[in-house]
Amino acid sequence: MRLFTFQTSGDMLETASFFLNKSLTWRMVILGIPLIALSLLLVFVLTYTEIESLISKTIARNEQMHAESLALTFERILIETRNQLRILAAGEIDIDSMKRRFSIRKNSENLPYREIAYASSTSDERYVLLSMNKTLVELPESVVKNTRLSPFQTINETELTPFAVSISQPVEVTYSIIPVGEKLQSVTFQVIRLSTPIFEKDGKVGGVLILSLDLRAFRDIFSNSESPLTVKDEIKTCIQSFFIDYYGWILFQSERAKSQEDLGKTPLRHDAIRSGLIGDSGSPIYQSAFRPAPDYSEYYQMLEEIRKKKSGHIFFSKGDEGWSISKTHAECVSFAPVTFHSKDDSNPVIVGGIACLDKSFTSSHALSYVIKIFAVCFFLALILLSANLWWISQRTMRRLKLIENQLADRNQNDSSQPLSLPLLPLELEALRGHIDTLLLRLQRAESDQASRLAESNARKMTEPCIDLPTPEEVEQERIVGTSQVVAELRKQIETVAKISADVLVVGETGTGKELVSQAIHDASDRADKPFISINCGALDESLLMDTLFGHVKGAFTEAKQNRKGAFIAAEGGTLMLDEIGNAAPKVQQALLRALSTRCIRPLGSDQDIPFTARIIAATNADLRNDGKDGGFRNDLYFRLAVISLHTPPLRDRKDDIPALVVHFMREARAEQKDSTPLPAISKGALKKLTDYSWPGNVRELKNVITRAIAFSENTILQADDIFLDVEPEQAQEQSQPSAKKADLSSSIQSVLSQLNARQQAALPVLMRQGSITRQEYQNLSAEPISMRTAQYDLQQMVQLGLICRKGRGPSMSYFVEGFEEKKDKKDSGAQK
């Protein structure tokens, strides 16, 4: 049935398919969440502007109150200074009286006054007293006259009215070479001067009295940690306050100091405020002042408001670099004017202004916090809504989910049983019937397909391998194979054949160590000389010594004539010592001497005979570890291992198995003197050969092929014609024991199946006695075995966890775990 009966575009079909392919729960959530999200975002957008404005105005108003409180404190200091000046003007004016009165008031009130000066209008009497280190210094007349901006140069006689105190703009004055104690020095300070007229009894002006207030008193209001107006330490670095005069010159800034003493030593400065600003430096009356350039509109807007005796705040636009403090942008500036009343009832005049730069961005942080709260509420609302929609949809989909689970279970188990469901609506009952029919048909189809596939695979396994090399393609060489490891081995043989040094060939049993030795001899310049191979593990100590070194006539009872020995018999050629690791200690010592001196001494002879034969030793053991255990001499190992070759096991060169199979089939037919064509080999037989681990390596493969050729009469060797000691699957289980065996008897059977006949025969005796030595193990064997074979069997039993090893060298013994502990307890009890 068609979903749409009208022509639709591709995008509409894709959109419809996208939603129809989703679950009912997903569709309810995906359609409901955007609606609530849009509503929340709309509320936030509508309220964000108002919240931002409210927070910014609140914080700016707080900073403005801070600036106003500083300005009010400054005005109180000015009023206090005005009152002090009036008190001084009401008393005696002569210099001695003034010194006494000024010192008393200054010491009692601890007031930050710098100068007290008087100039008479009716006479030449004038003086300037300077406060230096809690002492008063009278300045010489010459110093006062030569000093720019001295107190008498800043008097404006037009402003002198009865009972009024006039104030000057802040000035920076420097007195040169004044006596301070016993020294002469120059002094620079910044002050605000207040002056008031002195009237005679006749009502005429008799002179002017001037009192200077040190500007550091204002700076200390900014920075004094004991002041109640100081900002808290955690945000103190975010508020920068500074003082500007009526003309817009920045005079000083707030400072941070560890103590009041350190603050008193800090000069007035404004480097933090002017950092990053462009403007003028030094006013006519204040050399260290700074005024920004006219380009900074917000600054001069603030100055205009101060001149109008208004306080307020100004927010800076984003990206405005005119108000950077130590390269950190400020958010707003709050300001308040500092005024002065010459009389209690007079109109105030503007002295300057206080400005506070806020670089804490408190409003921005507050807005960020509001956004975080909104985000949390937003996501909580989405989660609650999603949970609600999910709960509603789950109730709707419960029976549909039940059908889905039943169907998935039937499909997974390939079951054709009808769905076991409660009573369903009519439509779902019809659907269940059709599903049962479909399950049964699918199961039948899969069964038929599996049967056909198995039959096809079995038929293919009986077909001959078409890529098997022909006998003509297989080279009749000593070492057969085209794999990478064989190619590297041949290359090493060619290299070693050119050298006369002794060679040690190491490899597992059946890997062709003797063939490699013969190949080295054939490729060398000794090929026309004898090649003699001696199996050191097949002869006992005396016979091996006689075979290697020979004897002279009469050396022992049966020595009827001289015997050369293998070293002399292989003169000029190659002497191979196979299974060198099984040689007895006495034989090892004799071999070491022979290899060291290149001379041998036959049994019964007292003369050394030199030899020129090349020695090639072969072993299937790790002689280095045997040297550590005392089983093989280390010095003999290093003497033999001048050059070492490693013959690869067959499991590492399985690519060579097809060529080896053809080669061994050809040899088997040649031994049988059968001229019939070689049989083909099926894919199943070749797979069986390649899947096998080949513990006996190439020798085992040769035996398997020889047996198959001997007993098979078919033209194609099938998998059933290949007889292996252990099937590939069983060999894999032995190399990697399964961890899923649950009972103890199965585990023991798995371990015992890995023991050979000698080990199985000796195990009951070992369990009964509790311990055994290597020599005892050799004596238990039904047939004679070499020392090396006995060591290999016992070491394998140690690796399987059946026995433990104790001691080193000839004193080494093997015992059942726990036997030594029981024996020690028994001996201890006997002693007691």
Side-chain angles (χ1 to χ4, degrees):
M1 186 175 93
R2 296 180 179 270
L3 296 175
F4 303 97
T5 58
F6 55 88
Q7 187 69 26
T8 58
S9 63
D11 294 340
M12 293 179 61
L13 287 175
E14 291 179 0
T15 303
S17 176
F18 174 77
F19 280 97
L20 290 176
N21 290 333
K22 301 299 181 181
S23 65
L24 179 60
T25 302
W26 190 90
R27 278 180 281 173
M28 293 181 67
V29 172
I30 204 64
L31 293 176
I33 289 179
L35 294 178
I36 189 65
L38 183 62
S39 301
L40 293 175
L41 289 175
L42 182 62
V43 171
F44 177 75
V45 170
L46 294 177
T47 58
Y48 177 78
T49 304
E50 294 298 328
I51 294 175
E52 179 183 18
S53 176
L54 179 62
I55 293 176
S56 300
K57 289 180 179 179
T58 302
I59 295 175
R61 181 57 183 168
N62 182 55
E63 296 301 325
Q64 180 181 339
M65 293 177 62
H66 176 63
E68 291 175 351
S69 64
L70 289 176
L72 180 61
T73 303
F74 285 11
E75 291 175 357
R76 289 179 177 176
I77 293 176
L78 293 177
I79 292 174
E80 178 65 20
T81 304
R82 182 193 67 184
N83 296 335
Q84 292 294 332
L85 180 61
R86 287 177 175 176
I87 294 173
L88 292 173
E92 298 177 357
I93 303 301
D94 62 279
I95 185 170
D96 294 331
S97 300
M98 186 58 67
K99 285 182 179 181
R100 177 178 52 81
R101 295 172 57 206
F102 185 70
S103 297
I104 292 174
R105 302 200 65 82
K106 179 175 177 60
N107 293 333
S108 61
E109 301 293 338
N110 196 21
L111 299 175
Y113 300 134
R114 273 291 185 181
E115 299 171 322
I116 182 73
Y118 173 73
S120 176
S121 301
T122 58
S123 65
D124 294 336
E125 182 183 2
R126 62 173 55 189
Y127 57 84
V128 176
L129 300 178
L130 186 63
S131 177
M132 293 291 296
N133 299 327
K134 298 183 179 181
T135 60
L136 289 178
V137 178
E138 181 180 358
L139 298 182
E141 182 69 20
S142 59
V143 173
V144 176
K145 289 181 178 180
N146 295 329
T147 299
R148 182 175 173 272
L149 299 176
S150 66
F152 306 129
Q153 296 178 8
T154 58
I155 297 176
N156 188 354
E157 296 183 357
T158 60
E159 296 180 356
L160 298 178
T161 58
F163 306 107
V165 176
S166 61
I167 189 169
S168 69
Q169 284 294 315
V171 297
E172 184 175 14
V173 59
T174 300
Y175 291 107
S176 301
I177 311 176
I178 61 174
V180 179
E182 299 178 355
K183 298 181 180 179
L184 297 176
Q185 62 183 29
S186 297
V187 179
T188 301
F189 47 82
Q190 300 81 20
V191 295
I192 292 181
R193 289 171 175 156
L194 283 73
S195 58
T196 185
I198 303 297
F199 290 92
E200 300 291 344
K201 294 181 179 180
D202 55 2
K204 295 182 180 181
V205 177
V208 178
L209 185 62
I210 303 169
L211 180 61
S212 299
L213 177 64
D214 197 335
L215 290 181
R216 293 190 182 185
F218 296 124
R219 193 272 310 277
D220 293 347
I221 297 299
F222 290 154
S223 311
N224 189 359
S225 59
E226 298 179 357
S227 173
L229 298 176
T230 303
V231 185
K232 293 183 179 180
D233 291 339
E234 54 266 22
I235 59 172
K236 190 172 183 180
T237 57
C238 298
I239 304 297
Q240 190 77 52
S241 304
F242 60 95
F243 183 84
I244 59 176
D245 66 2
Y246 181 84
Y247 301 101
W249 293 92
I250 299 176
L251 303 185
F252 57 88
Q253 66 185 18
S254 60
E255 300 287 351
R256 296 198 65 186
K258 295 182 179 180
S259 62
Q260 183 66 26
E261 183 179 356
D262 294 338
L263 183 63
K265 297 178 181 179
T266 304
L268 297 180
R269 56 187 180 184
H270 44 69
D271 52 346
I273 300 298
R274 65 175 295 178
S275 176
L277 300 178
I278 301 175
D280 301 327
S281 297
S283 70
I285 62 175
Y286 204 107
Q287 291 298 318
S288 61
F290 173 79
R291 182 169 59 187
D295 297 337
Y296 302 106
S297 58
E298 290 90 348
Y299 180 84
Y300 286 96
Q301 179 184 352
M302 175 188 69
L303 180 62
E304 187 64 26
E305 294 294 319
I306 290 176
R307 289 175 177 175
K308 294 178 181 180
K309 304 177 183 177
K310 295 181 179 179
S311 60
H313 52 266
I314 298 175
F315 288 94
F316 301 135
S317 59
K318 295 182 179 179
D320 183 11
E321 297 183 356
W323 290 89
S324 61
I325 302 177
S326 298
K327 301 182 181 180
T328 302
H329 295 293
E331 190 172 27
C332 71
V333 60
S334 301
F335 55 88
V338 177
T339 60
F340 178 75
H341 295 264
S342 60
K343 295 181 179 180
D344 294 336
D345 56 350
S346 63
N347 294 326
V349 297
I350 300 298
V351 178
I354 301 296
C356 297
L357 277 174
D358 180 12
K359 61 177 182 177
S360 63
F361 292 89
T362 307
S363 60
S364 299
H365 296 326
L367 290 174
S368 300
Y369 184 71
V370 171
I371 293 175
K372 292 178 181 179
I373 294 177
F374 172 78
V376 172
C377 296
F378 177 79
F379 285 109
L380 286 177
L382 291 182
I383 292 173
L384 293 176
L385 176 62
S386 301
N388 187 30
L389 293 177
W390 178 84
W391 181 77
I392 295 174
S393 63
Q394 286 299 308
R395 292 179 60 88
T396 305
M397 293 185 60
R398 183 170 299 171
R399 291 191 175 182
L400 292 176
K401 193 68 175 179
L402 185 59
I403 295 177
E404 178 186 354
N405 294 336
Q406 292 273 335
L407 185 59
D409 182 67
R410 297 302 188 275
N411 289 335
Q412 183 177 2
N413 298 323
D414 292 332
S415 174
S416 61
Q417 296 295 326
L419 301 178
S420 56
L421 298 171
L423 184 62
L424 299 175
L426 182 62
E427 295 82 0
L428 295 181
E429 284 290 342
L431 177 61
R432 180 173 64 176
H434 293 301
I435 290 175
D436 291 340
T437 303
L438 181 60
L439 285 174
L440 181 59
R441 290 181 178 179
L442 287 176
Q443 184 180 11
R444 291 177 178 175
E446 289 180 357
S447 178
D448 294 342
Q449 183 180 5
S451 299
R452 289 192 299 269
L453 182 60
E455 182 180 355
S456 176
N457 290 337
R459 187 169 53 253
K460 287 181 180 180
M461 289 294 102
T462 61
E463 297 176 355
C465 294
I466 58 176
D467 55 350
L468 197 69
T470 62
E472 292 76 14
E473 294 175 347
V474 178
E475 300 179 359
Q476 294 191 17
E477 297 181 354
R478 296 187 181 277
I479 301 175
V480 178
T482 58
S483 62
Q484 180 66 27
V485 292
V486 172
E488 294 178 357
L489 180 61
R490 286 174 177 164
K491 186 176 179 181
Q492 292 175 358
I493 290 173
E494 293 177 0
T495 303
V496 172
K498 301 175 183 179
I499 306 172
S500 298
D502 296 335
V503 181
L504 177 63
V505 181
V506 182
E508 297 179 8
T509 301
T511 55
K513 296 186 289 298
E514 186 172 356
L515 293 178
V516 171
S517 302
Q518 183 70 54
I520 295 174
H521 173 76
D522 294 342
S524 67
D525 55 0
R526 303 171 181 260
D528 57 341
K529 301 295 182 180
F531 176 83
I532 298 177
S533 177
I534 302 297
N535 190 339
C536 299
L539 303 175
D540 60 15
E541 178 180 319
S542 300
L543 185 56
L544 180 59
M545 289 286 290
D546 187 57
T547 302
L548 293 176
F549 303 105
H551 61 265
V552 298
K553 181 179 179 181
F556 49 88
T557 304
E558 297 179 358
K560 304 299 183 180
Q561 57 183 0
N562 293 338
R563 184 179 181 181
K564 292 182 181 180
F567 279 93
I568 303 302
E571 183 67 18
T574 303
L575 174 60
M576 178 189 176
L577 303 177
D578 199 5
E579 294 188 23
I580 187 66
N582 292 333
K586 183 177 180 181
V587 178
Q588 295 180 26
Q589 182 178 3
L591 287 175
L592 176 62
R593 180 182 179 278
L595 295 177
S596 301
T597 62
R598 286 291 164 177
C599 294
I600 64 168
R601 179 175 294 181
L603 183 62
S605 175
D606 56 356
Q607 293 183 356
D608 291 337
I609 302 175
F611 67 90
T612 60
R614 182 182 194 175
I615 306 302
I616 299 180
T619 181
N620 61 356
D622 188 353
L623 299 183
R624 291 293 301 273
N625 289 333
D626 289 347
K628 296 178 180 178
D629 296 338
F632 195 82
R633 297 177 64 101
N634 280 329
D635 47 4
L636 178 58
Y637 167 76
F638 290 113
R639 180 66 65 177
L640 289 172
V642 178
I643 299 175
S644 295
L645 291 182
H646 294 267
T647 55
L650 185 56
R651 61 180 174 273
D652 293 342
R653 44 178 295 214
K654 288 188 176 183
D655 294 343
D656 295 331
I657 289 180
L660 289 170
V661 169
V662 175
H663 175 71
F664 291 142
M665 286 194 302
R666 181 171 56 193
E667 284 189 351
R669 281 295 173 88
E671 292 177 359
Q672 296 172 2
K673 298 181 180 181
D674 190 351
S675 60
T676 59
L678 297 179
I681 185 168
S682 67
K683 295 179 180 178
L686 185 60
K687 183 178 185 301
K688 188 174 182 179
L689 293 173
T690 55
D691 290 345
Y692 186 53
S693 61
W694 298 109
N697 294 294
V698 180
R699 183 181 296 127
E700 184 180 3
L701 175 62
K702 180 179 180 180
N703 296 337
V704 170
I705 298 301
T706 302
R707 183 167 55 247
I709 291 294
F711 291 98
S712 176
E713 298 179 356
N714 301 323
T715 58
I716 301 176
L717 288 179
Q718 299 294 339
D720 295 338
D721 298 328
I722 305 297
F723 295 98
L724 302 175
D725 292 340
V726 183
E727 293 299 323
E729 295 81 2
Q730 297 175 354
Q732 184 175 2
E733 289 181 3
Q734 291 179 6
S735 60
Q736 298 178 355
S738 176
K740 298 182 179 180
K741 296 181 179 180
D743 56 279
L744 181 60
S745 61
S746 298
S747 301
I748 295 176
Q749 188 64 31
S750 175
V751 173
L752 294 179
S753 64
Q754 303 181 48
L755 301 180
N756 56 35
R758 295 186 303 273
Q759 293 169 326
Q760 292 180 2
L763 187 58
V765 179
L766 178 59
M767 299 299 292
R768 184 172 60 254
Q769 294 181 356
S771 64
I772 194 172
T773 63
R774 176 185 56 77
Q775 187 63 41
E776 291 174 346
Y777 182 81
Q778 288 181 265
N779 297 335
L780 289 175
S781 178
E783 56 183 10
I785 60 173
S786 64
M787 176 184 67
R788 185 62 187 176
T789 303
Q791 288 180 345
Y792 178 81
D793 289 351
L794 292 171
Q795 184 63 29
Q796 184 183 14
M797 296 173 71
V798 171
Q799 293 176 355
L800 292 175
L802 297 175
I803 58 176
C804 299
R805 184 175 61 184
K806 180 179 181 181
R808 298 184 61 182
S811 62
M812 183 183 299
S813 61
Y814 301 86
F815 60 93
V816 179
E817 186 175 4
F819 174 76
E820 290 293 324
E821 184 177 345
K822 293 180 180 178
K823 182 179 178 182
D824 293 342
K825 289 182 178 180
K826 183 177 180 181
D827 294 343
S828 178
Q831 291 176 2
K832 290 182 179 180

